[in-house]
Amino acid sequence: MVQFKDKADFDVRWLPFQLNPAAEGGPGVNKLQMYEEKFGPDRVKQMMPRLIDAGKGDGINFSFGGNTGNTFDSHRLISFAAKQGKQDAMIEELFKNYFEEEKCLSDLEVLTAAAQKCGVEGAEEMLRTGAETEEVKSDLMKYQRGMRISGVPHFIINGQYQESGAQDPSTFASIFSKVLK
């Protein structure tokens, strides 16, 4: 995006996606055990070193301990943070919590602490209520189900182009060039 900053305004919007909407909330379940059940132990053993190496290149220190659970409340919090102009900070903090610090994103204490760290006001109260539920459900219906998005990351650019999975920067440069023509 840097090479296009003088040619276009970028608005990045993080949309909800649930990998496992049936997952437990609260304290969740052991992350590594869940990965092994989902992908098989052999595949997990192959995936982990590649993820760790890829992450190091981007300053991410992946850790596979801790628990994982239903992420719906984290998506409510992200939606709430967006209304305060703090969506990017909230996303970064939640990614760090989950991928590096082994915290479970279905744990309301984890979510509340992350919101406080990002300066999101009223988050604890919001999480205790049903606030943002309809907004998140609507986005899930429109994007995950309606557009049949089946994995993350998934990029929608200018409403015209879509890319799934990790992409090389040249892929985005090509799409941005097309959009700007």
Side-chain angles (χ1 to χ4, degrees), residues 105-152:
L105 299 186
S106 60
D107 183 326
L108 295 182
E109 289 181 19
V110 169
L111 297 178
T112 300
Q116 288 173 346
K117 187 171 181 180
C118 294
V120 176
E121 296 179 18
E124 186 173 4
E125 176 65 25
M126 185 280 302
L127 288 166
R128 278 190 265 135
T129 70
E132 303 299 321
T133 296
E134 291 309 312
E135 291 89 337
V136 171
K137 283 182 178 180
S138 176
D139 278 347
L140 285 169
M141 289 297 291
K142 180 178 180 180
Y143 295 102
Q144 186 169 347
R145 294 182 191 111
M147 294 178 77
R148 300 183 196 277
I149 295 171
S150 59
V152 290

Side-chain angles (χ1 to χ4, degrees), residues 1-160:
M1 291 189 330
V2 172
Q3 75 187 72
F4 294 94
K5 71 178 180 176
D6 296 333
K7 299 174 186 157
D9 292 322
F10 290 91
D11 179 30
V12 176
R13 182 170 174 233
W14 296 86
L15 299 168
F17 184 90
Q18 288 197 281
L19 291 168
N20 186 2
E24 293 180 30
V29 296
N30 181 278
K31 188 189 310 181
L32 186 56
Q33 184 178 345
M34 187 276 299
Y35 290 155
E36 288 177 345
E37 288 173 7
K38 183 173 183 170
F39 301 114
D42 292 337
R43 186 165 174 214
V44 170
K45 285 178 188 170
Q46 291 174 344
M47 289 175 10
M48 287 175 62
R50 287 192 312 230
L51 284 170
I52 289 168
D53 287 343
K56 283 182 183 175
D58 288 321
I60 302 167
N61 297 307
F62 282 110
S63 182
F64 297 96
N67 286 356
T68 185
N70 191 300
T71 58
F72 191 81
D73 285 333
S74 69
H75 292 298
R76 291 175 48 231
L77 179 58
I78 293 163
S79 177
F80 188 69
K83 293 176 178 171
Q84 296 180 31
K86 298 177 180 176
Q87 187 180 45
D88 286 341
M90 190 78 259
I91 287 284
E92 292 296 328
E93 183 62 21
L94 292 175
F95 281 174
K96 184 176 181 179
N97 279 208
Y98 183 76
F99 291 114
E100 296 183 73
E101 298 176 353
E102 301 182 352
K103 295 178 182 175
C104 184
L105 299 186
S106 60
D107 183 326
L108 295 182
E109 289 181 19
V110 169
L111 297 178
T112 300
Q116 288 173 346
K117 187 171 181 180
C118 294
V120 176
E121 296 179 18
E124 186 173 4
E125 176 65 25
M126 185 280 302
L127 288 166
R128 278 190 265 135
T129 70
E132 303 299 321
T133 296
E134 291 309 312
E135 291 89 337
V136 171
K137 283 182 178 180
S138 176
D139 278 347
L140 285 169
M141 289 297 291
K142 180 178 180 180
Y143 295 102
Q144 186 169 347
R145 294 182 191 111
M147 294 178 77
R148 300 183 196 277
I149 295 171
S150 59
V152 290
H154 188 92
F155 307 90
I156 303 169
I157 301 157
N158 210 40
Q160 300 171 319

